[in-house]
């Protein structure tokens, strides 16, 4: 005999309230499932699209050591995308369908990857600020109420914090170099600072889904809380590095025990999210081309799997 709908709902609420994990086989509200699919798909797409600005620098890395590090980092991002697509699939969607939605611009990815990586210093700054912001955003997701997502995030966060450090280490090396190298680091910091703050999403007053996501314990902190955490973490790192964050309002506030900082340009964020950022079209066109040129690999793999399955049944029958 199956349980009544209200009993199922109560069991779900109790699991969430007790900070236990909801697993794919458990009953869950349809809106919870849809929210998770949207969020995990968006996250997976961000990992994959995020390979582009950095992948573009692999051939131009200044030494074999830097090339090996960057190659490993970009491969990590591909791995993150794979874990996350697999987590989304436990909710009853198909990875191929999610990829279609991405290249048809029906699902989003993080706004940050619509900015170009213009110099080698950008590679360091992306690691420091972009992976740094990702760590702030993602560490609380390790305690997300949906089991497969939470477990994927544990592994991913370990790698993201390595990414953050490699970026910072690259920048330290450049800051010990020439005046021209230091100027490149400052220029890259100036360009990436505000877009990094926007990675946490719109301000709390303008983020309608936050309350529900917090109730479901998908999200643990609001956008503004996470943004503040990032600013507080990053300001002393900038000082140690010897770069200036491009915000004249940034200062330590002893009463709040936190940094005050200026308002990001929310209009710019809206523009970038709606498709009018500097690289939106290029990113999607590149992803689409990669998907289309990989069609023969998918076909070959499917044919091979079918052949293996046929042989296995024939072998069993013999
Ligand atoms: Fe990643
Ligand atoms: Fe990363």
């Amino acid at each position: 005999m199956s349980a009544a709908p209200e009993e199922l709902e109560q069991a779900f609420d109790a699991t969430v309230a007790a900070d236990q994990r909801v697993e794919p086989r458990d009953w869950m509200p349809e809106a919870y499932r849809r929210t998770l699919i949207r969020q995990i798909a968006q996250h997976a797409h961000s990992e994959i699209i995020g390979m582009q600005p950095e992948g573009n620098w692999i051939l131009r890395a200044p030494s074999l050591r830097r090339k090996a590090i960057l190659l490993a980092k970009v491969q990590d991002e591909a791995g993150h995308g794979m874990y996350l697509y697999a987590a989304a699939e436990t909710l009853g969607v198909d990875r191929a369908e999610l990829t279609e939605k991405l290249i048809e611009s029906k699902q989003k990815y993080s706004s940050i990857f619509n900015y170009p990586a213009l110099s080698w210093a950008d590679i360091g700054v992306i690691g420091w600020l972009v992976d740094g912001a990702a760590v702030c955003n993602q560490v609380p997701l390790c305690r997300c109420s949906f089991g497969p997502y939470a477990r994927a995030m544990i592994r991913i966060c370990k790698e993201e914090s390595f990414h953050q450090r490699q970026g910072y280490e690259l920048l330290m090396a450049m800051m010990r170099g020439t005046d021209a190298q230091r100027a490149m680091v400052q220029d890259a910091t100036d360009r990436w600072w505000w877009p990094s703050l926007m990675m946490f999403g719109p301000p709390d007053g303008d983020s309608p889904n936050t309350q529900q996501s917090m109730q479901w314990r998908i999200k643990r902190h609001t956008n503004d809380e996470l943004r503040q955490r990032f600013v507080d973490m990053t300001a002393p790192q900038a000082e140690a590095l010897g770069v200036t964050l491009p915000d004249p309002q940034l200062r330590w506030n002893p009463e709040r025990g936190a940094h005050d900082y200026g308002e990001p340009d929310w209009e710019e964020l809206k523009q970038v999210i709606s498709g009018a950022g500097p690289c939106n079209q290029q990113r999607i066109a590149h992803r689409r081309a990669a998907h289309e040129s990989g069609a023969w690999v998918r076909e070959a793999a499917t044919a091979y799997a079918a052949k293996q399955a046929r042989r296995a049944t024939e072998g069993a029958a013999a």
Side-chain angles (χ1 to χ4, degrees):
M1 203 180 85
S2 60
E6 53 280 15
E7 283 171 34
L8 292 169
E9 184 127 28
Q10 276 165 12
F12 169 84
D13 290 344
T15 304
V16 170
D19 250 337
Q20 288 171 347
R21 301 285 163 262
V22 177
E23 296 298 337
R25 258 178 269 177
D26 297 340
W27 182 91
M28 62 188 83
E30 212 27 55
Y32 175 84
R33 182 188 300 276
R34 275 201 311 274
T35 298
L36 276 167
I37 291 173
R38 182 172 43 80
Q39 180 170 338
I40 299 173
Q42 190 168 320
H43 192 164
H45 298 330
S46 303
E47 303 284 355
I48 299 299
I49 295 285
M51 294 167 74
Q52 291 186 35
E54 291 181 291
N56 190 31
W57 278 91
I58 292 171
L59 291 177
R60 291 179 288 169
S63 69
L64 181 61
R65 178 171 171 266
R66 290 294 174 196
K67 196 191 291 281
I69 294 170
L70 183 57
L71 192 59
K73 196 241 183 206
V74 174
Q75 283 177 334
D76 282 353
E77 307 300 7
H80 299 173
M82 297 306 112
Y83 301 151
L84 289 164
Y85 284 125
E89 285 191 328
T90 68
L91 291 159
V93 285
D94 185 64
R95 183 175 138 197
E97 175 192 331
L98 299 178
T99 301
E100 278 306 317
K101 286 192 173 147
L102 169 66
I103 60 183
E104 283 165 16
S105 297
K106 288 181 184 155
Q107 276 177 344
K108 296 189 189 310
Y109 55 90
S110 175
S111 57
I112 193 79
F113 301 117
N114 292 311
Y115 293 86
L118 300 179
S119 81
W120 177 249
D122 287 43
I123 297 306
V125 170
I126 289 172
W128 173 37
L129 298 180
V130 176
D131 290 275
V135 170
C136 276
N137 246 332
Q138 293 174 11
V139 164
L141 290 172
C142 298
R143 295 186 297 126
C144 158
S145 58
F146 185 58
Y149 193 28
R151 289 187 290 273
M153 290 320 301
I154 292 171
R155 170 88 177 261
I156 290 175
C157 282
K158 285 184 184 156
E159 295 181 346
E160 296 299 3
S161 80
F162 156 74
H163 296 168
Q164 197 266 353
R165 283 174 212 197
Q166 70 81 32
Y168 196 73
E169 192 269 339
L170 188 166
L171 296 176
M172 284 202 302
M174 287 187 81
M175 293 303 281
R176 286 193 299 267
T178 63
D179 284 347
Q181 285 175 305
R182 278 186 286 276
M184 278 166 76
V185 175
Q186 183 61 57
D187 170 64
T189 305
D190 290 346
R191 283 181 289 105
W192 288 93
W193 173 248
W194 293 108
S196 301
L197 290 189
M198 294 176 198
M199 283 175 71
F200 297 91
D204 291 350
D206 203 12
S207 176
N209 301 325
T210 293
Q211 259 346 83
Q212 178 64 79
S213 279
M214 286 180 67
Q215 227 161 38
W216 279 330
R217 301 203 182 176
I218 296 173
K219 231 174 140 151
R220 298 282 176 157
H221 309 278
T222 70
N223 296 353
D224 288 333
E225 284 166 8
L226 293 167
R227 195 166 6 248
Q228 179 73 59
R229 193 178 283 192
F230 175 69
V231 172
D232 291 336
M233 182 182 94
T234 310
Q237 293 171 350
E239 209 176 299
L241 196 59
V243 294
T244 309
L245 296 174
D247 179 358
Q249 284 170 266
L250 181 72
R251 67 179 57 83
W252 177 251
N253 180 333
E255 277 142 52
R256 286 203 310 123
H259 289 81
D260 292 337
Y261 60 97
E263 190 88 357
D265 180 352
W266 299 122
E267 202 37 53
E268 177 180 322
L269 177 63
K270 275 184 198 151
Q271 290 286 318
V272 176
I273 290 178
S274 68
C279 300
N280 296 58
Q281 287 178 10
Q282 179 189 334
R283 299 290 183 240
I284 290 295
H286 190 82
R287 182 70 194 88
R288 177 188 292 277
H291 185 64
E292 285 167 3
S293 69
W296 71 271
V297 180
R298 293 189 295 278
E299 278 162 29
T302 310
Y304 181 74
K307 189 170 83 181
Q308 292 299 101
R310 201 168 54 237
R311 281 193 185 155
T313 25
E314 279 164 13

